[in-house]
Amino acid sequence: MASETHSTRERLIGAAARLFQERGYASTGLNDVLAAARAPKGSLYHHFPDGKEGLAVAAAALASERFLATICKDASDSGDATQMIARFASRLAGWLEQSGFKLGCPVATLTLEQAAVSDRLASTLSAAFSSWQDALAARLKADGISEHRSGELALLALCAIEGALVLARAKRSAAPVMEVAGTLGALFAREA
Amino acid sequence: MASETHSTRERLIGAAARLFQERGYASTGLNDVLAAARAPKGSLYHHFPDGKEGLAVAAAALASERFLATICKDASDSGDATQMIARFASRLAGWLEQSGFKLGCPVATLTLEQAAVSDRLASTLSAAFSSWQDALAARLKADGISEHRSGELALLALCAIEGALVLARAKRSAAPVMEVAGTLGALFAREA
DNA sequence: CAATATATAGACCGGTCGGTCTATGTGGAG
DNA sequence: CTCCACATAGACCGACCGGTCTATATATTG
């Protein structure tokens, strides 16, 4: 043990999170995850007795934390909400372009494929979206916008960015993300 | 022939469109589609020599047309863009709730799963989103909003609704769709 | 009528799926 | 040292996958 920087469990979750984001749940075989994590099948079922579903829950939780950390970083690095949105959109556009438009939202594909099937996964994903919305709302509130209005605008922004990431993948262009971010940024500037 | 209201080809496309929307691409087996369309496998490969990918392109085109028709109907039935968004969101909320939160955007799951894989599907999906955006923009322009601003707001609205449909499936609640629509409606009212 | 293209019908194939199983290695507690 | 829980290791299973194949029925056309 400790021969690797990450334990087998962590490598499994990390590989699963990346593959589920890129290819989705159903198209990602457990053998793909095992190969990427350099782990045998026995280890997977030792750490995740529930199999693929349990692995997906853990992967979604990891993706949720990482994305939240990114949002919080961009929020604290920015002087206002308009700047935050611009920074965040640029980052997402970079991810899209560098990955050949494979990397969008870390959990959107998982949500659309599995939220209606797995209760555990649905609640993890629901919490993820709420935490992201709350982080955006906190930045808006810090700009002097009312609590209620901050929540409303944060939901609009989150949904618009999520939708723009879907369009971006269909069009293979980051333009929808950048354009939507511009519109949102102008809206925020008018509110503050 | 004509013994059925729909030809075998049409039944195959219809069944595929419905199943891809509900379960996604990878989770929908061809045998599921064949059973739903009451057709043998030979017919599928007769009408769609490219197999699953060709079927998905046809299903996406059908879904695109139907959704466009829905948007256009709500647009023409409404006095202004604010009313249109409210009507459209109510309709989507109804679909979500009546289906147990299985039916969201007719092509979003397909997009996230396959847009990076299939060029033909990506271009069909890209055209679908553009046609929807154009229909929304036309309604905004009819309210007296400038051409450029109409396009900008239409993109924001489309992306926000798409994203709200993702959140709605994770949360198993139509609330995100209704709330986002409310925010968008108020924004439109301020612009006109 | 015969001839031909269109469409239906489903058995069948190799490959891959998620999951189970038994066996082996390993590190700390007594 | 023994002992035992933890973890690794991968062979193996039945089910299902998308796709191919041959055979048959049904229109259309000369």
Side-chain angles (χ1 to χ4, degrees), chain B residues 40-60:
Chain B
K41 194 165 275 193
S43 295
L44 195 159
Y45 280 90
H46 170 73
H47 293 290
F48 301 98
D50 293 341
K52 200 178 187 182
E53 182 183 0
L55 180 61
V57 171

Side-chain angles (χ1 to χ4, degrees), chain A residues 98-138:
Chain A
Q98 282 161 29
S99 67
F101 299 97
K102 286 186 202 142
L103 294 179
C105 170
V107 300
T109 318
L110 212 47
T111 300
L112 295 182
E113 281 185 282
Q114 290 292 314
V117 174
S118 164
D119 291 354
R120 291 169 58 208
L121 194 51
S123 75
T124 301
L125 294 165
S126 171
F129 288 120
S130 293
S131 73
W132 303 342
Q133 181 186 347
D134 290 346
L136 293 174

Side-chain angles (χ1 to χ4, degrees), chain A residues 8 40-43 46-47:
Chain A
T8 299
K41 194 164 277 193
S43 295
H46 170 71
H47 293 291

Side-chain angles (χ1 to χ4, degrees), chain A residues 67-68 71 84-85 88 92 105-108 125-137 140 150-166 177 180-181 184 188, chain B residues 156 158-168 170-171 176 180 183:
Chain A
F67 208 56
L68 177 62
I71 294 172
M84 171 189 70
I85 284 286
F88 188 53
L92 293 175
C105 170
V107 300
L125 294 165
S126 171
F129 288 120
S130 293
S131 73
W132 303 342
Q133 181 186 347
D134 290 346
L136 293 174
L140 287 160
S150 291
E152 192 178 20
L153 288 175
L155 179 65
L156 178 69
L158 176 59
C159 289
I161 294 288
E162 285 288 339
L165 287 171
V166 177
V177 175
V180 159
L184 287 171
F188 292 166
Chain B
L156 177 69
L158 176 59
C159 290
I161 295 287
E162 285 288 340
L165 287 171
V166 177
L167 266 70
K171 292 173 183 289
V180 160
T183 308

Side-chain angles (χ1 to χ4, degrees), chain B residues 88-118:
Chain B
F88 188 53
S90 294
R91 185 193 294 276
L92 294 175
W95 287 356
L96 282 167
E97 283 162 358
Q98 281 161 29
S99 68
F101 299 96
K102 286 186 203 144
L103 295 179
C105 170
V107 299
T109 318
L110 212 47
T111 299
L112 295 182
E113 282 185 282
Q114 291 292 314
V117 174
S118 163

